[in-house]
Amino acid sequence: RKEVEQDPGPFNVPEGATVAFNCTYSNSASQSFFWYRQDCRKEPKLLMSVYSSGNEDGRFTAQLNRASQYISLLIRDSKLSDSATYLCVVNTGNQFYFGTGTSLTVIP
Amino acid sequence: DVKVTQSSRYLVKRTGEKVFLECVQDMDHENMFWYRQDPGLGLRLIYFSYDVKMKEKGDIPEGYSVSREKKERFSLILESASTNQTSMYLCASTTLRGGVGGYTFGSGTRLTVV
């Protein structure tokens, strides 16, 4: 079983829509969680960490559900510039595990 | 601003060549990593290092080796390049041995082996 599983999409949504991505992880001992954004042919960049109580950064909301072992990312009021691949990352012990990424295209 | 620099953005090498990919970080991070990224497979860990002269195998170390002679530099070596090593290679560093704190990635090296 993979350490981290992510729906690859693609998600194609109109501007202004709300879209949510989920990511499940297999190890209940996982300690910290992140969402990264990767633009085409560029490196991944940290979008936000995910805290146990949930956290928000502008239009982006991240949540963690330890009981069900998943993290989520909610994007409200989607912009064209949100088009990218979103990677979830889970830290377990000394290792970081990456999802394969979810592709988002925001359509005018 | 935190920086991880990879020496080449694009490389084309011939089958059988020895290839060196260099990565330098200026953040005094202890931990450095090499990944390759392929469509549909995501990021796969090749090797990592928690300290100078220290290295550990990741998930796909076959055909690769690494060198960490200085804290800021982590080199990936393809001993004899093969076409199935055509990929995007990403170096990353982090200051923590696990726990809170994400990665900083270099801009990547797109390697083509012909």
Side-chain angles (χ1 to χ4, degrees):
Chain A
R1 187 183 169 187
K2 283 187 181 178
E3 292 282 342
V4 179
E5 303 242 25
Q6 213 181 331
D7 181 349
F11 284 65
N12 299 315
V13 303
E15 261 186 299
T18 296
V19 61
F21 310 132
N22 282 340
C23 184
T24 59
Y25 60 96
S26 61
N27 193 331
S28 60
S30 297
Q31 300 143 281
S32 47
F33 309 87
F34 309 90
W35 282 102
Y36 275 72
R37 171 194 169 124
Q38 186 172 23
D39 293 296
C40 189
R41 305 183 87 81
K42 296 279 183 73
E43 74 275 21
K45 292 188 177 174
L46 181 65
L47 178 65
M48 57 198 302
S49 301
V50 186
Y51 301 123
S52 298
S53 54
N55 48 298
E56 199 171 297
D57 182 2
R59 297 181 293 108
F60 298 83
T61 301
Q63 291 196 308
L64 167 63
N65 185 318
R66 285 196 182 270
S68 302
Q69 292 182 207
Y70 75 85
I71 62 172
S72 64
L73 177 69
L74 183 79
I75 306 175
R76 289 183 301 279
D77 189 23
S78 300
K79 311 287 185 197
L80 296 177
S81 57
D82 293 335
S83 297
T85 297
Y86 292 83
L87 299 160
C88 61
V89 182
V90 174
N91 167 239
T92 306
N94 295 331
Q95 295 276 5
F96 287 80
Y97 297 95
F98 288 80
T100 52
T102 299
S103 173
L104 171 67
T105 301
V106 181
I107 303 161
Chain B
D1 198 19
V2 150
K3 231 174 160 193
V4 178
T5 303
Q6 291 184 233
S7 53
S8 305
R9 196 67 197 268
Y10 298 95
L11 270 181
V12 180
K13 295 291 181 181
R14 294 194 180 278
T15 301
E17 275 193 77
K18 192 167 185 175
V19 181
F20 293 86
L21 303 182
E22 304 287 348
C23 176
V24 177
Q25 48 95 2
D26 63 2
M27 300 163 283
D28 201 34
H29 282 174
E30 297 85 4
N31 311 322
M32 297 187 75
F33 305 81
W34 274 106
Y35 288 87
R36 63 178 283 177
Q37 187 175 31
D38 301 287
L41 296 176
L43 280 151
R44 292 183 290 166
L45 181 63
I46 304 171
Y47 267 97
F48 59 103
S49 168
Y50 288 136
D51 205 349
V52 175
K53 296 197 185 293
M54 181 257 163
K55 59 186 177 185
E56 290 199 33
K57 292 180 181 179
D59 300 318
I60 52 162
E62 297 78 19
Y64 303 93
S65 62
V66 290
S67 171
R68 184 115 182 252
E69 295 296 317
K70 293 185 178 181
K71 190 176 185 181
E72 66 270 19
R73 186 180 296 270
F74 192 35
S75 304
L76 179 69
I77 303 148
L78 285 66
E79 298 291 343
S80 176
S82 63
T83 54
N84 63 13
Q85 293 177 310
T86 292
S87 186
M88 169 73 126
Y89 289 87
L90 287 157
C91 175
S93 75
T94 179
T95 189
L96 294 173
R97 188 186 291 259
V100 176
Y103 280 9
T104 301
F105 283 92
S107 54
T109 297
R110 192 166 290 278
L111 172 68
T112 302
V113 182
V114 299

